[in-house]
């Protein structure tokens, strides 16, 4: 009995009731949609049905053919394609595609063969890890749009990247490092094989001619290692010496040059020991450690691809006559009106000009559920329209958008050298000087007591004491920390902030907008009839955008709806209007009761015969505020609120959060004075704020944390930017920062302890050069691998925004 098929043959998703059938290799298979049917049959027609046998994971559902056609047609426009197509000197065209859905090597096999079968495509190179494809084609025979359609027919969606991606320095650096590492690895294996033959042959009385041949073979395979693979070390040493500094490349270059030169001399003269295996192994292990450090550094800066996935390549813009025209997103300018279909992403930052819609802004706001947007509300480029359609009035495009701002923050942090790194480099320079001095003393000492062993012992000291691990300790840890924090939605603007965040002893927090959000909550109703009071209050408040009015409307959302008429707003007072033929007032006690003075902290609803109800509203705590404050207190940080709000409101928030120290009615100058008092007492202050009035405090703190939802001036003064609305990321960031400092100290202690333990043994002649190379290289590998452990064991509270970025970065 055959088991019924319940999943799509192509993508593995569930089958609908009347699933279409795809004919693949003369066999019909059920598929979930017409897109998967077209993809499966196209693969079969190309003679590539073996893909279904080779694949180890299923691809995503094939894109909708209609949508693919529209998207491909948009790339026919020269204004759009010029951003993604480069014309080579030969007249051929080149582009780089970001391909969604590459799951395994079979996907690479399929894409390369499917595109190679298209007339006019000259070259296809697919990188499965980066999900990129580099394509070269003949523009006389084929266009970019035709390539995109051909790729879509195989079931893969592709987004052409900007031509700047073709010059990706990270890709070139990685490619060059891999080539050097491969040459060094091959040379090391061969050199060790010939060295083993020499060692074993010496014991078995190998004839001299064979020994000479083994030496020459060793020279042959080691020469490319020294002159090609080790070139970065010689270049780095030359730059350091020209700058009159001693970097870690100096002893490496000296050791490689001495070992190689001495071995060449021994090989030419036909006697003595050669160390071709040692120098090859030395270079290989050094390059392996640097390659791991480079990979960690590259993973910290992958937001370019993230932005490419989140922002659409084109938009439907309203022309002057009202018709829609499809244009490239780079062509949009502030003031354009754009139509966004349901399920599509916003092409730029702007405001909503149409009716209500629901938008998923988990990328930046951190809200796990879609947000209701009303006409006039701000929309963020890259956010997903869940319920629509919507009309967007463009305000910011390109590098001015929120997404571009985040990428700029990360790039800025990665380009800076933190204070810890500068201190580490100075220490490494001193270490290099002591290493060279120690090697010279070792050479002098052995030249006096046993000249035959002087060269080997000196080389061993020079190699084993190379400060590579010491110099890698700081950059490896800081680079890993930046990457982990970025995935958690915490963007470090100044890399020194990691150290200051970990060592902070006091936290000064703003209240409004930082510990609380813009929404108020109805806490209590003092009235004879609670429901009637809420219905009347909501009727007056429904047309107002004031936070108090909106809180009352939300509280009455499940009650019957009354309609108010002749509603007017009294500045500084409240609302007045008619409901069911009666006059009512809603607002401050003085306004509602027409009293000269009333100190009650409540919103009053009054009618023609006096007070009807008193509504007590409270500020809603920002998500994660309790967790952040509790974690700071638990870690020994003294927390206090310094706010410009009324004392009663500040006290209520402080009590809810368990904060005992608070100050109210503080002007920006008073806040800054409090900060100076704390710093004068020896405190290292962490300041968190989001408003314009917080900018002076943020600028004066040891480490300033701003929120993306806050004012631009506050963000400009921030050392760390929290992405979204969840304050829990603050405590997570401090935990990562403290772990980073711990790992950094571990790395430095390990490097120092290793050298102190091994150098005396090498100086006494007990460590051969080949073993010294292994020991030094393994020491560097330990440092890099230990740095990569940052964030793996620290419990964090991922926000939706961080999760989104973590998947795509």
């Amino acid at each position: 009995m055959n088991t019924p098929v319940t999943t799509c043959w192509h993508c593995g998703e569930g089958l609908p009731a009347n699933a279409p059938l795809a004919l693949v290799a003369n066999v019909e298979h059920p598929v979930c949609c017409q897109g998967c049917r077209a993809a499966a049959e196209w693969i079969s027609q190309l003679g590539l049905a073996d893909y279904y046998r080779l694949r180890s994971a299923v691809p995503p559902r094939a894109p909708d053919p209609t949508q693919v056609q529209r998207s491909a047609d948009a790339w026919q426009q020269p204004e759009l394609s010029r951003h993604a197509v480069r014309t080579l000197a030969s007249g051929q065209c080149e582009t780089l595609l970001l391909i969604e859905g590459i799951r395994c090597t079979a996907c690479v096999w399929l894409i390369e063969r499917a595109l190679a079968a298209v007339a006019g495509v000259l070259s296809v190179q697919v990188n499965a890890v980066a999900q990129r494809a580099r394509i070269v084609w003949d523009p006389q025979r084929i266009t970019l749009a035709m390539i995109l359609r051909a790729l879509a027919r195989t079931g893969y969606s592709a987004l052409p990247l900007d031509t700047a991606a073709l010059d990706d320095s990270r890709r070139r650096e990685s490619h060059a490092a891999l080539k050097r590492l491969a040459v060094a690895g091959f040379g090391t294996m061969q050199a060790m094989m010939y060295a083993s033959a020499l060692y074993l042959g010496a014991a078995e009385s190998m004839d001299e001619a064979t020994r000479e041949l083994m030496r020459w073979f060793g020279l042959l395979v080691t020469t490319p290692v020294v002159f090609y693979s080790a070139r970065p070390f010689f270049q780095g040493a030359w730059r350091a010496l020209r700058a009159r500094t001693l970097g870690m490349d100096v002893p490496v270059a000296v050791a490689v040059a001495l070992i190689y030169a001495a071995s060449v001399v021994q090989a030419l003269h036909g006697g003595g020991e050669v160390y071709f295996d040692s120098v090859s192994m030395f270079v290989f292990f050094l390059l392996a450690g640097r390659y791991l450090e480079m990979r960690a550094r590259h993973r910290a800066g992958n937001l370019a691809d993230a932005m490419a996935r989140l922002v659409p390549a084109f938009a439907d813009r309203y022309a002057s006559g009202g018709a829609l025209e499809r244009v490239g997103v780079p062509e949009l300018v502030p003031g354009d009106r754009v139509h966004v279909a349901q399920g599509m992403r916003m092409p730029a930052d702007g405001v909503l000009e149409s009716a209500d819609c629901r938008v998923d802004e988990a990328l930046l706001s951190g809200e796990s559920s879609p947000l209701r947007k009303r006409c006039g509300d701000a929309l963020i480029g890259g956010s997903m329209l869940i319920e629509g359609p919507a009309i967007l009035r463009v305000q910011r495009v390109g590098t001015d958008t929120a997404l571009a701002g985040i990428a700029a923050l990360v790039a800025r942090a990665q380009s800076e050298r933190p204070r810890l790194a500068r201190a580490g480099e100075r220490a490494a320079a001193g270490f290099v000087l002591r290493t060279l001095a120690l090697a010279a003393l070792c050479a002098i000492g052995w030249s006096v007591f046993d000249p035959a062993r002087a060269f080997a012992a000196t080389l061993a000291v020079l190699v084993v004491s190379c400060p590579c691990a010491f110099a890698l300790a700081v950059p490896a840890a800081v680079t890993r920390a930046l990457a982990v924090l970025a995935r958690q939605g915490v963007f470090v603007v100044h890399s020194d902030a990691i150290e200051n965040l970990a060592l902070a002893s006091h936290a000064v927090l703003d209240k409004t907008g930082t510990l609380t959000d813009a929404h108020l909550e109805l806490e209590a109703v003092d009235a004879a009839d609670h429901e009637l009071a809420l219905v009347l209050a909501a009727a007056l408040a429904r047309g107002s955008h004031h936070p108090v009015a909106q809180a009352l409307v939300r509280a009455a959302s499940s009650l019957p709806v009354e309609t108010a008429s002749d509603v007017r707003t009294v500045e500084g007072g409240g609302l007045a209007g008619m409901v069911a033929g009666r006059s009512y007032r809603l607002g401050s006690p003085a306004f509602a009761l027409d009293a000269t003075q009333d100190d009650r902290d409540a919103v009053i609803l009054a009618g023609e015969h006096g007070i009807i109800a008193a509504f007590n509203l409270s500020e809603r705590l920002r998500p994660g505020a309790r967790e952040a404050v509790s974690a700071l207190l638990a870690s020994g940080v003294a927390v206090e609120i310094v706010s410009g709000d009324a004392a009663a409101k500040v006290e209520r928030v402080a009590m809810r959060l368990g904060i005992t120290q608070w100050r109210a009615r503080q002007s920006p100058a008073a806040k800054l004075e409090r900060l100076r008092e704390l710093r004068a007492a020896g405190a290292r202050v962490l300041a968190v704020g989001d408003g314009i009035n917080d900018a002076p405090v943020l600028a004066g703190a040891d480490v300033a944390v701003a929120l993306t939802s806050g004012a631009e001036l506050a963000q400009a003064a921030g050392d760390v930017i929290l992405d979204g609305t969840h304050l829990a990321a603050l405590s997570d960031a401090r935990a990562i920062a403290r772990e980073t400092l711990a790992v950094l100290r571990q790395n430095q202690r390990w490097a120092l302890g290793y050298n102190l333990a091994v150098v005396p043994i090498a100086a006494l002649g007990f460590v051969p050069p080949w073993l010294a190379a292994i020991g030094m290289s393994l020491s560097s590998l330990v440092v890099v691998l230990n740095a990569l452990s940052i964030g793996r064991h620290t419990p964090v509270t991922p926000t939706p925004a961080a999760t989104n970025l973590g998947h795509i970065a």
Side-chain angles (χ1 to χ4, degrees), residues 184 188 225 230 233 248-257 259 275-289 459-460 462-468 769-770 772-778 780:
T188 298
V225 175
F233 303 117
M248 71 174 181
D249 286 333
V250 173
V252 171
V254 171
V256 171
I259 298 174
Y275 305 101
F276 293 124
D277 56 328
S278 298
V279 69
S280 299
M281 191 182 307
F282 183 43
V283 172
F284 173 72
F285 281 119
L286 269 176
L287 289 176
L459 287 182
L462 196 60
V463 171
V464 81
S465 62
C466 178
C468 297
W770 65 268
I774 293 178
M776 183 282 310
S777 304
L778 289 179
S780 299

Side-chain angles (χ1 to χ4, degrees), residues 297 300-301 303 405-419 421-422 475 478-483 485-486 490-498 718-721:
R297 174 163 41 86
L303 283 183
I406 290 176
L409 288 177
V410 176
R412 176 178 169 183
Q414 291 169 348
S415 64
E416 288 187 346
R417 291 164 56 217
R419 181 171 54 250
R422 296 192 295 270
V478 171
T479 300
R480 171 64 182 178
L482 290 175
L485 289 172
V490 179
F491 300 99
V492 180
V493 181
H494 301 290
S495 47
D496 283 338
I498 294 178
D719 301 310
V720 178
I721 306 296

Side-chain angles (χ1 to χ4, degrees), residues 67-124:
Q67 185 64 37
V68 168
Q69 182 67 36
R70 292 189 65 199
S71 301
D73 290 344
W75 289 101
Q76 295 278 21
Q77 303 177 32
E79 295 82 3
L80 181 57
S81 61
R82 66 184 173 87
H83 294 283
V85 178
R86 169 189 288 173
T87 301
L88 304 177
S90 61
Q92 300 168 351
C93 289
E94 179 185 32
T95 192
L96 192 66
L97 302 180
L98 189 63
I99 301 178
E100 299 284 353
I102 297 180
R103 298 286 190 265
C104 59
T105 54
C107 295
V108 176
W109 179 86
L110 173 63
I111 292 170
E112 290 181 343
R113 281 159 179 76
L115 291 182
V118 178
V121 174
L122 305 177
S123 172
V124 181

Side-chain angles (χ1 to χ4, degrees), residues 56 114 169 213 233 277 346 368 393 472 539-540 623 643 676 794:
S56 58
S169 60
L213 184 62
F233 303 117
D277 56 328
M346 300 295 165
S368 58
R393 172 74 67 176
L472 280 173
L540 293 172
S643 173
R676 290 170 179 161
T794 301

Side-chain angles (χ1 to χ4, degrees), residues 637-674:
V637 176
V639 180
E640 67 177 270
I641 300 176
V642 180
S643 173
D645 211 342
K649 295 180 179 180
V650 177
E651 183 180 18
R652 277 201 298 268
V653 172
M655 291 179 62
R656 293 170 66 183
L657 293 174
I659 299 175
T660 57
Q661 297 291 325
W662 55 269
R663 292 170 179 249
R665 297 295 186 190
Q666 298 289 294
S667 65
K671 292 181 179 182
L672 193 57
E673 182 58 33
R674 175 56 181 163

